[in-house]
């Protein structure tokens, strides 16, 4: 059969499986690529699986937007941690991960040909979702420290713009946006009658006394702010596929149409596990994120040896550093050489929309102290060898 063209030809291929195949073909490679944590969900998650199994009716479809006990627990968490009150103007929808929440939002608020503003470097799955929906990503560069530029965002808005997307703490750069910057984006969206999609998957991962800010907590923001959250990172829930979104109430019917068509309901067994995770004591998050903070410092200390070869922007969030390598080598070619010649994997910046130089995303959340020392040492030595040769 002849190959048929479709909208998917305009969508970039996800980079993680591509790099994963290179790693598989180079045994012994240490991956600083995928954005996951090394630790497991809290024991309370497993304990709540018994509650799921004890109820035979749990094998049936459940509510599209999530089971009531989980919605209640999430509302309490949002009030306590994010300062977001669930009221008559907004609501929670549980999703199969926050990527699904983003897709739900794009399909709910756009028509084909509409525009969504992404700040570069962007998260590649956001750009892919926009393309899949037949919409156009409008790219706005951040400043030299990867912080938002409100004037550039405002100037990029056209009659076709439907939303501005922010990610804080950021993937891929690790930077955290200030309350002032996020309020400015909210003000722009309010004034221009568009949505602010706020991706907060890394909300717990902040360092050096930096605080996470949720735009959905700002006064009068419920009408136009869509907030996306995930259990994948902080609770070690990557494969359980549970995220959630807080949306204006007027979008609920549209979002439910999307979710019912694609998913019907989030896996109920995973929702029970999520309910258990939310019962975990504060020490669970504190200890695991504290350990990642120690790993982060080790990574930073090693990367600082690359001053002169790379630009390393301070980043107080998530578990990434985004390097600009001072070389003419193509980023993906550099990634391939690091894997083949030095047994260490990172992600090329081109997949995040950075084509004006050689950029690499370094992820450190999945590694223990011992492994990260070896992995970063390989990366530093590899870059010194390749770039200087």
């Amino acid at each position: 059969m002849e190959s048929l063209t479709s909208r998917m030809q305009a969508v970039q291929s996800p980079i993680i499986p591509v790099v994963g195949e290179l790693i598989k073909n180079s045994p012994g490679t240490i991956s600083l690529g995928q954005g996951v944590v090394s630790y497991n969900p809290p024991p309370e998650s497993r304990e709540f699986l018994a509650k799921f199994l004890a109820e035979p009716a749990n094998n049936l479809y459940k509510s599209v937007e999530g089971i009531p006990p989980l919605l209640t627990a999430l509302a309490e968490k949002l009030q306590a941690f994010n300062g977001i009150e669930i009221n008559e103007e907004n609501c929670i929808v549980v999703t199969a991960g926050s990527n699904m929440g983003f897709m739900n939002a794009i399909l709910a608020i756009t028509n084909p040909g509409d525009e969504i503003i992404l700040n570069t470097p962007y998260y590649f799955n956001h750009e892919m979702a926009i393309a899949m929906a037949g919409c156009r990503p409008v790219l706005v560069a951040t400043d030299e420290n990867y912080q938002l530029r409100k004037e550039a965002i405002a100037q990029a808005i056209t009659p076709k713009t439907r939303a501005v997307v922010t990610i804080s703490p950021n993937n891929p750069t690790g930077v955290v946006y200030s309350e002032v910057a996020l309020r400015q984006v909210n003000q722009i969206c309010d004034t221009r009658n568009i949505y602010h999609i706020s991706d907060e998957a890394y909300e717990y991962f902040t360092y050096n006394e930096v605080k996470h800010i949720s735009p959905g907590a700002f006064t009068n923001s419920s009408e136009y702010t869509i907030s996306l959250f995930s259990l994948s990172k902080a609770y070690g829930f990557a494969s359980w596929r549970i995220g959630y979104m807080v949306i204006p109430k007027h979008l609920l019917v549209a979002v439910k149409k999307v979710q019912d068509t694609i998913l019907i309901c989030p896996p109920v067994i995973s929702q029970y596990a999520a309910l258990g995770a939310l019962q975990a004591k504060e020490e669970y998050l504190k200890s695991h994120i504290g350990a990642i903070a120690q790993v982060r410092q080790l990574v930073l200390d090693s990367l600082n040896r690359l001053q002169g070869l790379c630009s390393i922007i301070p980043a107080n969030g998530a578990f990434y550093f985004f390097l600009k390598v001072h070389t003419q080598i193509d980023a993906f070619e550099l990634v391939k050489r690091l894997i083949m010649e030095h047994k260490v994997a990172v992600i090329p910046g081109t997949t995040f929309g950075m084509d004006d130089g050689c950029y690499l995303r370094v992820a450190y959340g999945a590694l223990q102290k011992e492994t990260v020392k070896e992995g970063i040492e390989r990366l530093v030595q590899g870059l010194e060898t390749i770039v200087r040769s």
Side-chain angles (χ1 to χ4, degrees):
M1 184 177 180
E2 274 189 39
S3 178
L4 299 177
T5 59
S6 81
R7 71 182 68 198
M8 299 309 295
Q9 288 182 302
V11 179
Q12 69 165 303
S13 295
I15 193 66
I16 298 297
V18 175
V19 173
E21 191 66 23
L22 292 171
I23 293 171
K24 188 170 74 173
N25 294 329
S26 185
T29 296
I30 294 176
S31 177
L32 302 171
Q34 194 161 23
V36 293
V37 296
S38 63
Y39 56 86
N40 295 320
E44 290 86 348
S45 293
R46 295 188 294 277
E47 292 165 8
F48 268 66
L49 297 183
K51 297 179 184 291
F52 167 83
L53 295 169
E55 176 50 66
N58 279 335
N59 293 316
L60 303 175
Y61 295 128
K62 297 298 179 182
S63 170
V64 172
E65 60 262 52
I67 59 174
L70 181 55
L71 293 172
T72 298
L74 291 172
E76 292 171 356
K77 174 267 178 185
L78 286 162
Q79 178 76 67
F81 184 79
N82 305 93
I84 297 175
E85 179 186 0
I86 302 302
N87 50 41
E88 300 78 19
E89 296 179 347
N90 60 11
C91 57
I92 304 169
V93 176
V94 180
T95 60
S98 61
N99 274 4
M100 182 171 191
F102 187 83
M103 193 82 230
N104 284 354
I106 295 300
L107 291 173
I109 67 174
T110 65
N111 291 308
D114 283 344
E115 297 174 350
I116 304 292
I117 292 176
L118 297 180
N119 295 281
T120 57
Y122 54 64
Y123 171 45
F124 55 86
N125 282 131
H126 287 174
E127 190 268 347
M128 293 166 66
I130 293 164
M132 285 181 195
C135 297
R136 189 171 80 89
V138 174
L139 308 184
V140 174
T142 50
D143 70 15
E144 65 277 5
N145 292 316
Y146 303 125
Q147 293 292 332
L148 300 172
R149 296 162 58 231
K150 68 169 185 174
E151 295 85 2
I153 292 171
Q155 289 171 6
I157 295 171
T158 75
K160 289 191 172 185
T161 305
R162 294 294 169 263
V164 176
V165 179
T166 61
I167 310 169
S168 183
N170 189 260
N171 178 12
T173 67
V175 303
V176 181
Y177 300 147
S178 68
E179 180 174 349
V180 170
L182 291 170
R183 283 190 180 277
Q184 289 170 340
V185 173
N186 259 32
Q187 183 60 52
I188 290 168
C189 293
D190 185 19
T191 303
R192 303 296 288 271
N193 198 29
I194 59 177
Y195 292 98
H196 180 183
I197 302 177
S198 172
D199 187 330
E200 303 174 40
Y202 299 90
E203 57 184 329
Y204 292 104
F205 296 89
T206 58
Y207 315 103
N208 298 324
E209 307 301 320
V210 172
K211 300 297 183 185
H212 171 68
I213 301 296
S214 292
F218 299 155
T219 304
N220 301 322
S221 67
S222 295
E223 280 290 299
Y224 56 89
T225 304
I226 298 170
S227 304
L228 307 178
F229 302 94
S230 173
L231 272 72
S232 294
K233 311 304 180 184
Y235 287 96
F237 245 63
S239 70
W240 287 94
R241 305 315 304 138
I242 291 293
Y244 54 102
M245 54 195 310
V246 179
I247 59 174
K249 184 65 73 69
H250 65 258
L251 289 178
L252 180 60
V253 170
V255 167
K256 286 174 71 173
K257 287 179 183 179
V258 178
Q259 183 139 303
D260 185 71
T261 300
I262 297 174
L263 186 68
I264 299 183
C265 65
V268 178
I269 190 169
S270 294
Q271 291 191 64
Y272 269 79
L275 184 58
L278 293 172
Q279 317 303 313
K281 296 181 175 58
E282 185 179 342
E283 182 57 29
Y284 170 81
L285 291 177
K286 190 174 179 181
S287 62
H288 284 303
I289 294 172
I292 288 179
Q294 293 178 4
V295 169
R296 172 186 175 274
Q297 192 57 53
L298 289 173
V299 172
L300 188 56
D301 290 344
S302 293
L303 289 179
N304 280 333
R305 289 162 46 197
L306 294 171
Q307 296 288 352
L309 281 182
C310 300
S311 296
I312 305 163
I313 302 302
N316 287 309
F319 33 73
Y320 306 114
F321 288 110
F322 200 63
L323 310 183
K324 182 174 184 179
V325 187
H326 304 317
T327 179
Q328 298 300 312
I329 302 173
D330 173 78
F332 187 58
E333 286 301 315
L334 181 55
V335 167
K336 287 195 290 187
R337 289 190 62 182
L338 285 167
I339 294 172
M340 292 185 295
E341 298 170 19
H342 297 276
K343 303 288 189 182
V344 63
V346 290
I347 302 297
T350 44
T351 201
F352 305 101
M354 300 299 280
D355 298 316
D356 61 338
C358 183
Y359 296 84
L360 303 175
R361 189 190 74 174
V362 179
Y364 55 85
L367 301 181
Q368 306 293 339
K369 280 185 184 179
E370 299 73 22
T371 317
V372 82
K373 282 180 182 177
E374 175 63 23
I376 290 296
E377 188 62 29
R378 292 183 190 182
L379 177 63
V380 170
Q381 290 185 0
L383 287 174
E384 288 177 335
T385 300
I386 295 169
V387 175
R388 286 189 171 138
S389 64

